[in-house]
């Protein structure tokens, strides 16, 4: 009896699916169309525009990492947490939130220039998409050039075999991005090294005191962490770190 009901149900489902196929074929997504707009240009269908928009949205995280101050900030915050020895405090979500909003604060002049010079005129249809793209690239390129070391740019130009560049404005964008990333990593680790020094001194002092007292079984990290936290709070460490990070970026 159960087998008969199962076969009947399977037959009904198959029949409904077969009946629905013509309707689905009629109401499916339209094929991507490229139509001549009458002025020598090409007008794309809405489906292709949505596809391009979704592709750009998937690239936004990479753009945030590669072309803004986010990398330097999050690396410094991570090294600071390790230097304090507080394991997962602050948690990753807090560090990412701090890095994101500090990035927005630092990048606000650049983002404002992109919005005023490229996005707004394009939405008002006063400039073309290609012109808007060039206008949006200019402030971002200026920001990246101000943070990038000349040696890093020269290294990537040599790797690419491009010896025709004589001015910073002539550096290809695809060469500038990895050079910028390399410079940001160098800057982040240099700042992290300076942050580590006072906390390493505290660890050494605590370890020496414990060794002299014969308390070798006691973890120096457990004893030194309260002193490191006290030092960090007394010198107003978060204000110093965020202020130093913000001022370390050359904008303009």
């Amino acid at each position: 009896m159960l087998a008969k009901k199962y076969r009947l149900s399977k037959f009904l489902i198959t029949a409904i699916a077969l009946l629905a196929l013509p309707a689905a074929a009629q109401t499916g997504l339209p094929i991507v169309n490229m139509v001549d707009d009458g002025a020598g240009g090409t007008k794309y269908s809405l489906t292709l525009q949505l596809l391009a928009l979704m592709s750009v949205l998937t690239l936004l995280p990479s753009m945030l990492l590669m072309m803004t101050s986010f990398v330097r900030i999050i690396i410094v915050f991570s090294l600071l947490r390790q230097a304090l020895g507080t394991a997962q405090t602050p948690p990753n979500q807090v560090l990412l939130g701090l890095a994101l909003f500090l990035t927005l604060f630092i990048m606000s002049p650049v983002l404002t220039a992109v919005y005023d010079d490229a996005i707004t005129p394009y939405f008002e249809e006063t400039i073309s998409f290609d012109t808007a793209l060039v206008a949006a690239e200019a402030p971002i390129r200026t920001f990246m050039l101000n943070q990038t070391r000349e040696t890093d740019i020269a290294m990537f130009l040599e790797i690419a075999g491009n010896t025709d560049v004589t001015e910073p404005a002539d550096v290809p964008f695809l060469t500038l991005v990895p050079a910028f990333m390399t410079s940001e990593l160098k800057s982040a680790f240099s700042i992290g090294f300076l942050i580590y020094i006072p906390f390493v001194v505290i660890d050494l002092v605590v370890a020496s005191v414990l060794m002299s007292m014969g308390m070798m079984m006691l973890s120096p990290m457990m004893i030194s962490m309260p002193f490191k936290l006290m030092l960090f709070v007394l010198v107003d460490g978060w204000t110093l770190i965020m202020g130093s990070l913000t001022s370390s970026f050359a904008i303009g």
Side-chain angles (χ1 to χ4, degrees):
M1 186 67 179
L2 292 175
K4 186 176 180 180
K5 289 183 177 179
Y6 173 76
R7 289 196 297 269
L8 180 60
S9 301
K10 187 177 180 180
F11 174 77
L12 291 175
I13 293 173
T14 305
I16 293 173
L18 290 174
L19 290 174
L21 281 176
Q26 294 175 3
T27 60
L29 291 174
I31 300 176
V32 175
N33 293 321
M34 293 182 290
V35 182
D36 190 358
D37 60 1
T42 302
K43 186 176 181 180
Y44 299 98
S45 67
L46 182 61
T47 304
L48 186 58
Q49 294 176 4
L50 289 177
L51 179 62
L53 178 61
M54 294 302 294
S55 300
V56 171
L57 289 178
T58 57
L59 293 175
L60 279 179
S62 298
M63 294 169 62
L64 175 65
L65 291 176
M66 292 188 296
M67 295 186 291
T68 66
S69 58
F70 183 84
V71 172
R72 186 189 303 187
I73 296 170
I74 193 61
I75 291 177
V76 170
F77 283 167
S78 300
L79 292 175
L80 172 63
R81 185 173 64 180
Q82 293 181 17
L84 288 172
T86 53
Q88 295 299 318
T89 304
N92 292 331
Q93 292 85 348
V94 174
L95 291 184
L96 288 172
L98 287 173
L100 179 60
F101 282 99
L102 194 58
T103 298
L104 292 176
F105 174 76
I106 294 172
M107 298 294 297
S108 58
V110 178
L111 297 177
T112 301
V114 171
Y115 182 80
D116 292 340
D117 299 340
I119 297 178
T120 300
Y122 176 71
F123 283 157
E124 293 176 351
E125 299 183 353
T126 58
I127 60 176
S128 64
F129 178 77
D130 294 338
T131 306
L133 193 61
V134 173
E137 179 185 336
I140 298 176
R141 172 185 286 272
T142 301
F143 171 80
M144 295 171 66
L145 284 172
N146 289 336
Q147 323 307 322
T148 308
R149 296 172 173 83
E150 294 183 1
T151 55
D152 295 328
I153 296 177
M155 180 189 69
F156 282 99
L157 287 175
E158 183 179 356
I159 293 174
N162 191 345
T163 58
D164 300 331
V165 176
T166 57
E167 297 292 334
D170 299 332
V171 178
F173 199 74
L174 293 179
T175 302
L176 179 59
V177 171
F180 171 75
M181 287 292 296
T182 305
S183 292
E184 286 297 282
L185 290 173
K186 291 179 181 178
S187 300
F189 279 92
S190 299
I191 297 173
F193 170 75
L194 297 176
I195 292 174
Y196 249 96
I197 291 177
F199 299 116
V200 170
V201 171
I202 294 177
D203 287 333
L204 290 174
V205 171
V206 171
S208 300
V209 172
L210 292 177
M211 288 287 290
S212 64
M213 296 175 63
M215 304 175 66
M216 290 167 294
M217 300 300 293
L218 187 61
S219 174
M221 292 293 296
M222 185 175 63
I223 304 300
S224 64
M225 188 173 67
F227 292 100
K228 290 190 287 188
L229 291 176
M230 182 180 65
L231 173 65
F232 191 69
V233 171
L234 288 177
V235 299
D236 199 6
W238 285 112
T239 301
L240 289 176
I241 293 295
M242 292 190 180
S244 300
L245 277 174
T246 304
S247 60
S248 67
F249 289 95
I251 302 176

